[in-house]
Amino acid sequence: MIRTLPLILLLMAITVNAPATQNERVKLTIDASRPGAKIDRNLFGQFAEHLGHGVYEGIWVGPDSKISNTRGIRNDVVAALKAIRVPNVRWPGGCFADEYHWRKGIGPQRPATLNPNWGGVIEPNTFGTHEFMDFLDQIGAEAFLSVNVGSGTPQEAAEWLEYLTTSQQTSLSKERAANGHPAPYKIAYLGIGNESWDCGGNMTPDYYVSQLKIYSRFVRNFNPAQQGNDQMLKIAVGPGGNEPRFVEWTEAVMKAWQDRKWSWDLQGLSLHNYTVVRWDNKLASVGFGESEYSQILKSTLEMEDLVTKYSAIMDKYDPQKKIALVVDEWGSWYAPLPGSNPGFLVQQNSIRDAILAALNLNIFARHADRVRMANIAQMINVLQAMIMTDKEKMVLTPTYYVYKMYLPFQDATFVPVTFNAGTYTNGNITLPRVDAIAAKDTKGKLWLEITNVDPNQSVEIEATVTGKSASGETLTAPKVDSVNTFAAPNTVVPKPISAKVIDGRLTLKLEPKSVTVVSIE
Ligand code: AHR
């Protein structure tokens, strides 16, 4: 995808005044007197689809595996995910969700079925509802279930929710107890279909809206603990990129919501957008140079346009911003790694992906009044993953470290920061050279994130702050395509960084192609 000139102008606009030249110091003005929205911790959500080795091998190895596990769920992966405080996990898809029949994934007999979307492989159904809820419990995350609208029925989805959430003695809750969980589960988020305009059933907006009303009405959460403030939030299928048909789709869903009757409601609208550049002949995730680095980063900044565009449509129908824009699939999508099953979407993850993640998280933070949830695709072994595994081996990706460094931004309050971004140019691509956000964490401490997009030049930043020193971490790498591998897992890992504040001024030198997070003490 080619970014348009207006987007560049827009991005420069967040950066006031004349652009800084190559070696000029970038001055950040932080305005703590004008706090913005809460950066909801759900922006750091994950997505785990039954796709390739995302679930099987990535999470589930089975109780009899030699790989250290708790009830079949691998302990190394759980420990790594706990360390980034995953707020929620979207499951079981993706396109898979619209062909998933939950009954096949409960009880002692698990039939083998097929996974036609992703390689046509056998789906053993050994990881089902109880295993997913156990996994969430082990990592301390909340459930974001996608129900099957495409090939299922409202009755099937309604029964799944009754099975999961009722505390009364129904035949479904007795079955749940017999399968090992007498207490009702908590289901925090419910996705009503997935990409229903394509893989989820190729529906027209009107047809989907009819389905949405039915599912929203009948798929109830009966958990007594979720009847008050802690209600399950329902998320409708929304747009999937920049095509004109998605404007019509967004208008249709939002208009239906505005005209809603007492009998149904909605709390979120989904947005999907991958960073691809081109769908045919996708760029490689390894062995690339500066040209591909700059192309991908240019493409990823389209997220700003999309969030702005769909927020504006939502504002027409929902000026009070009751409905969250939920970016529940985003991230890089490259060509499959040579030798891998193309249906498994296996790719490497480089410092380029770390920069890409930071740029997107910053876009979400700047739109935190509307964008209140996001799920990177996908958590393990698929697309822009946090973690890669190979049998007993596990490696943490550069993107994982960005999520770790951003922990202080979970539920922090956005603080406006303005700066001269300057420009970085490669060939015919010009990008903002620097990006930054600031926020106050839940204890009132000020945090600053600065991304140096330029892969060749370091950048010096200067900020006027109240405090004595700044400390935190910075993530960079020797080359634009540097990755972590099982053999060399520490090529792209954060390093400590600190500086004194002198006369109320903080100065930091940031390495080329780096992501830096510091707190002001
Ligand atoms: O994340 C991979 C796929 O991308 C998902 O299954 C689908 O929703 C999207 O098209």
Side-chain angles (χ1 to χ4, degrees):
M1 283 177 248
I2 304 297
R3 236 181 74 219
T4 54
L5 185 63
L7 174 66
I8 293 175
L9 294 176
L10 183 74
L11 284 158
M12 304 300 276
I14 58 170
T15 65
V16 300
N17 309 328
T21 55
Q22 282 278 305
N23 297 314
E24 210 171 286
R25 191 180 266 193
V26 173
K27 290 194 178 149
L28 306 178
T29 305
I30 301 164
D31 189 354
S33 67
R34 288 192 307 119
K38 182 174 93 169
I39 301 171
D40 199 307
R41 64 186 298 258
N42 277 318
L43 290 175
F44 302 90
Q46 299 287 332
F47 172 34
E49 180 165 11
H50 286 235
L51 194 177
H53 296 304
V55 168
Y56 297 107
E57 297 192 22
I59 299 172
W60 180 257
V61 287
D64 301 329
S65 171
K66 288 200 182 93
I67 299 169
S68 163
N69 71 84
T70 302
R71 293 178 296 278
I73 294 164
R74 52 191 298 168
N75 292 334
D76 52 356
V77 163
V78 166
L81 293 173
K82 272 172 90 169
I84 55 169
R85 294 205 296 271
V86 175
N88 70 80
V89 181
R90 180 170 180 255
W91 177 85
C95 299
F96 180 82
D98 279 301
E99 294 191 79
Y100 184 60
H101 300 285
W102 66 274
R103 280 207 149 277
K104 307 209 162 139
I106 57 163
Q109 303 302 328
R110 306 285 178 100
T113 56
L114 290 173
N115 188 340
N117 281 293
W118 305 117
V121 295
I122 290 200
E123 163 58 54
N125 283 301
T126 42
F127 188 90
T129 299
H130 288 263
E131 292 75 21
F132 175 60
M133 297 308 291
D134 187 12
F135 167 63
L136 293 184
D137 203 40
Q138 292 191 34
I139 66 169
E142 291 195 298
F144 177 1
L145 280 192
S146 262
V147 292
N148 181 343
V149 174
S151 68
T153 62
Q155 182 183 1
E156 182 187 13
E159 286 178 358
W160 195 12
L161 266 286
E162 184 192 320
Y163 177 87
L164 281 157
T165 63
T166 187
S167 61
Q168 304 209 58
Q169 291 301 299
T170 67
S171 113
L172 282 167
S173 71
K174 287 180 189 165
E175 197 178 352
R176 183 188 69 223
N179 287 333
H181 208 275
Y185 287 113
K186 183 182 170 202
I187 303 299
Y189 310 101
L190 189 83
I192 302 180
N194 170 76
E195 299 193 355
S196 305
W197 26 261
D198 272 349
C199 73
N202 232 287
M203 299 172 191
T204 62
D206 285 352
Y207 184 82
Y208 175 71
V209 163
S210 306
Q211 296 293 305
L212 172 65
K213 290 176 185 173
I214 293 167
Y215 277 75
S216 171
R217 170 77 186 138
F218 297 115
V219 185
R220 300 171 198 260
N221 186 319
F222 296 100
N223 189 325
Q226 290 192 267
Q227 303 310 307
N229 291 337
D230 203 11
Q231 277 184 29
M232 177 175 79
L233 307 185
K234 296 176 185 173
I235 298 157
V237 170
N242 212 3
E243 293 169 44
R245 63 177 173 143
F246 294 126
V247 170
E248 190 198 346
W249 185 281
T250 307
E251 296 268 0
V253 175
M254 290 306 296
K255 176 143 194 353
W257 176 78
Q258 190 185 45
D259 298 341
R260 73 196 178 283
K261 301 287 183 288
W262 62 269
S263 53
W264 74 282
D265 206 350
L266 197 65
Q267 291 78 30
L269 180 78
S270 139
L271 165 65
H272 289 185
N273 183 53
Y274 286 96
T275 300
V276 181
V277 177
R278 48 176 190 261
W279 282 101
D280 56 329
N281 194 18
K282 296 184 195 72
L283 297 188
S285 61
V286 286
F288 57 87
E290 190 176 340
S291 166
E292 293 82 4
Y293 170 88
S294 57
Q295 284 179 62
I296 282 290
L297 295 185
K298 177 179 173 179
S299 171
T300 213
L301 288 171
E302 284 173 12
M303 184 65 87
E304 171 64 35
D305 278 355
L306 294 181
V307 167
T308 302
K309 171 173 155 176
Y310 294 118
S311 295
I313 297 175
M314 294 174 82
D315 284 349
K316 279 200 298 183
Y317 300 96
D318 173 28
Q320 292 177 296
K321 301 189 192 295
K322 289 184 176 166
I323 306 280
L325 185 57
V326 176
V327 191
D328 54 7
E329 284 188 32
W330 69 274
S332 56
W333 191 321
Y334 303 119
L337 276 185
S340 69
N341 182 332
F344 284 10
L345 311 186
V346 183
Q347 63 189 41
Q348 247 298 3
N349 194 299
S350 64
I351 185 69
R352 177 177 66 178
D353 295 287
I355 307 262
L356 181 160
L359 293 174
N360 280 277
L361 292 171
N362 291 0
I363 291 169
F364 303 152
R366 280 193 279 269
H367 289 271
D369 57 345
R370 179 66 83 180
V371 183
R372 300 195 285 271
M373 189 152 159
N375 300 75
I376 191 166
Q378 297 193 6
M379 191 164 64
I380 306 164
N381 291 330
V382 176
L383 299 176
Q384 189 173 349
M386 303 288 119
I387 296 173
M388 299 179 79
T389 64
D390 180 17
K391 302 193 179 61
E392 76 291 350
K393 290 179 276 190
M394 178 185 87
V395 66
L396 305 176
T397 66
T399 303
Y400 174 91
Y401 288 114
V402 170
Y403 273 63
K404 194 145 189 236
M405 290 164 70
Y406 270 68
L407 280 174
F409 291 96
Q410 289 199 6
D411 282 345
T413 303
F414 184 80
V415 171
V417 49
T418 49
F419 49 94
N420 295 335
T423 54
Y424 150 66
T425 298
N426 179 257
N428 59 1
I429 291 180
T430 296
L431 302 172
R433 178 180 167 217
V434 168
D435 191 30
I437 57 163
K440 278 200 173 167
D441 70 14
T442 45
K443 296 196 179 97
K445 191 191 273 189
L446 183 69
W447 291 84
L448 197 55
E449 188 286 329
I450 318 109
T451 305
N452 181 7
V453 172
D454 192 323
N456 306 311
Q457 309 279 336
S458 59
V459 65
E460 210 166 57
I461 64 113
E462 177 187 312
T464 305
V465 292
T466 314
K468 291 195 171 124
S469 62
S471 61
E473 289 187 317
T474 190
L475 183 73
T476 186
K479 298 190 293 164
V480 284
D481 62 342
S482 294
V483 297
N484 292 334
T485 62
F486 298 112
N490 296 321
T491 307
V492 194
V493 292
K495 295 181 301 196
I497 184 170
S498 62
K500 289 214 176 332
V501 176
I502 299 169
D503 297 333
R505 273 189 319 194
L506 165 71
T507 53
L508 280 173
K509 190 170 179 191
L510 308 173
E511 292 185 51
K513 50 178 163 13
S514 62
V515 176
T516 302
V517 174
V518 290
S519 67
I520 316 296
E521 304 284 351

